[in-house]
Amino acid sequence: MANGAAVVYILLAVVGLSLATWFLTPKGDNQTVWRSSIILTLAMCYLMWAITYLSQLHPLIQPMRSDLRPEFAEGYSEH
């Protein structure tokens, strides 16, 4: 699944887990703390994963090879 659809599928899974957390947290004095902690953890883990996944899927900088002979390195620039 090496395309952008994976990001949407995982987002739907995270939203589903967040909804389950909202309704299944134990009742009591710390219910709000439990909900907030788990939902924020899910959201931040999703953001970190999505940023990493998308940056590898569409890199901003093209990798450069340094082991090519000059006659084969037409498309590469030397720095």
Side-chain angles (χ1 to χ4, degrees), residues 2-43:
N3 57 20
V7 177
V8 175
Y9 295 144
I10 301 297
L11 175 64
L12 293 176
V14 169
V15 168
L17 287 171
S18 296
L19 286 173
T21 299
W22 183 267
F23 292 111
L24 298 176
T25 48
K27 304 285 186 227
D29 295 337
N30 293 329
Q31 184 179 23
T32 305
V33 175
W34 275 99
R35 281 181 180 170
S36 302
S37 299
I38 294 172
I39 292 173
L40 282 172
T41 299
L42 288 169

